[in-house]
């Protein structure tokens, strides 16, 4: 009787091969600036804030910087990107606001407003087959029947085959079964106070939890868009908001003395 083949520790496999295998203590942790080799990600976010779309754009830019680490060495990447919304997502979050996009992406947007989730999925898959696109962003609200595991798998296969990454934003959706290699829960977080002007708005900040990943350990971070780079700090080390001195210190006296 032949002996069974030895089981390989996931930590000794190439990152792209650690698929369907649970993360161990030796599995690397995600951080911005890594070439993740993941073509499909999902962002679960509330429709009451733009955190899902904001982080999707920040992660897409981070991936583009890794693809062209030295822009001066080659021709800069000016390829357009595709943004697809179904009717429900368009009603909840509105159309992309061009002046609010990063300056280097404003002239590169191709927007598709789809009537149904089925039309949105068709547009996403067709976009992923076009290598002339830098990346694809999709916004779909809720849990439509059309976006089942099979549809999610089709999107992932198209993204991997043609090398066009997809960030799919799930607005007000349950975390159902999906084939995305990385799945995030995202919400807005307090911005740090600006360094030079206390009255200016702070940098865009998110609380992001990577609750499923095939090549990295799950974790939770505070992510901040710091202009030329995406900055991360562990969620536990994030400073709590300062609400001022709500109650004076009691010192050596009883609280009844106040």
């Amino acid at each position: 009787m032949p002996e069974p083949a030895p089981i390989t520790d996931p930590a000794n496999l190439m990152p792209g091969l650690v698929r369907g295998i649970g993360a161990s203590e030796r599995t690397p942790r995600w951080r911005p600036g890594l070439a993740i080799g993941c073509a499909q990600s999902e962002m679960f976010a509330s429709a009451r804030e733009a955190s899902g779309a904001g982080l999707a754009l920040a992660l897409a830019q981070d991936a583009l910087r890794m693809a062209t680490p030295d822009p001066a060495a080659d021709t800069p990447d000016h390829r357009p990107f595709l943004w697809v919304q179904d009717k429900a997502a368009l009603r909840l979050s509105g159309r992309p606001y061009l002046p609010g996009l990063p300056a280097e992406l404003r002239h590169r947007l191709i927007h598709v407003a789809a009537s149904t989730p089925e039309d949105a999925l068709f547009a996403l898959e067709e976009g992923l087959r076009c290598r002339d696109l830098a990346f694809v962003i999709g916004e779909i609200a809720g849990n439509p029947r059309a976006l089942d595991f099979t549809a999610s798998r089709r999107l992932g296969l198209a993204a991997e085959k043609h090398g066009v990454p997809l960030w799919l934003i799930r607005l007000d959706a349950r975390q159902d079964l999906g084939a995305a290699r990385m799945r995030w829960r995202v919400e807005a977080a307090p911005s740090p106070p600006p360094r030079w002007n206390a009255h200016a708005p702070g940098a865009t900040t998110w609380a992001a939890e990577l609750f499923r990943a095939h090549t990295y350990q799950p974790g939770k971070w505070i992510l901040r868009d710091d202009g030329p780079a995406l900055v991360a700090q562990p969620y536990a080390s994030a400073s709590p908001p300062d609400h001022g001195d709500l109650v004076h210190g009691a010192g050596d006296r009883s609280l009844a003395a106040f």
Side-chain angles (χ1 to χ4, degrees), residues 1-257:
M1 181 177 180
E3 296 183 359
I7 299 176
T8 305
D9 190 330
N12 295 327
L13 296 175
M14 294 295 291
L17 298 178
V18 190
R19 294 179 175 174
I21 303 176
S24 68
E25 290 299 324
R26 292 196 291 167
T27 305
R29 295 186 66 84
W30 176 87
R31 59 176 174 80
L34 286 179
I36 58 176
C38 173
Q40 181 189 18
S41 300
E42 279 186 327
M43 332 286 293
F44 290 85
S46 170
R48 295 184 296 274
E49 56 187 41
S51 54
L55 184 57
L57 279 171
L59 291 174
Q61 286 186 283
D62 188 64
L64 286 177
R65 282 190 290 265
M66 288 304 302
T68 54
D70 186 9
D74 300 310
T75 303
D77 188 352
H78 292 305
R79 291 176 299 166
F81 71 98
L82 178 67
W83 193 322
V84 179
Q85 295 176 294
D86 71 348
K87 187 175 182 179
L90 187 63
R91 183 178 66 252
L92 289 171
S93 62
R95 297 175 183 271
Y97 181 58
L98 284 179
L101 295 178
E104 63 272 20
L105 295 179
R106 290 173 193 168
H107 63 288
R108 300 163 59 182
L109 170 65
I110 300 174
H111 180 252
V112 172
S115 299
T116 64
E118 291 82 357
D119 290 343
L121 292 171
F122 174 80
L124 287 172
E125 188 170 346
E126 289 299 302
L128 293 172
R129 296 175 184 275
C130 179
R131 291 188 174 94
D132 289 331
L133 293 176
F135 58 89
V136 174
I137 289 179
E139 278 188 276
I140 294 181
N143 297 82
R145 182 176 299 179
L147 184 51
D148 55 11
F149 183 84
T150 301
S152 177
R153 182 61 177 153
R154 284 177 60 92
L155 292 175
L157 289 174
E160 291 175 0
K161 179 178 180 180
H162 300 281
V164 180
L166 167 67
W167 279 268
L168 181 60
I169 304 159
R170 307 286 304 277
L171 297 175
D172 293 341
R174 300 187 313 274
Q175 294 155 24
D176 52 2
L177 188 64
R181 299 301 183 189
M182 300 180 76
R183 307 185 90 188
W184 296 84
R185 278 187 288 263
V186 187
E187 60 183 1
S191 300
R195 181 177 181 183
W196 303 113
N197 183 358
H199 300 287
T204 307
T205 307
W206 305 275
E209 180 183 1
L210 180 62
F211 66 91
R212 178 189 175 187
H214 285 267
T215 54
Y216 298 100
Q217 291 187 37
K220 192 170 184 179
W221 295 268
I222 295 293
L223 300 177
R224 184 172 67 256
D225 188 0
D226 195 21
L230 183 63
V231 178
Q233 68 179 109
Y235 186 81
S237 66
S239 300
D242 183 8
H243 297 295
D245 295 329
L246 300 181
V247 179
H248 294 287
D252 295 329
R253 293 180 292 168
S254 167
L255 288 176

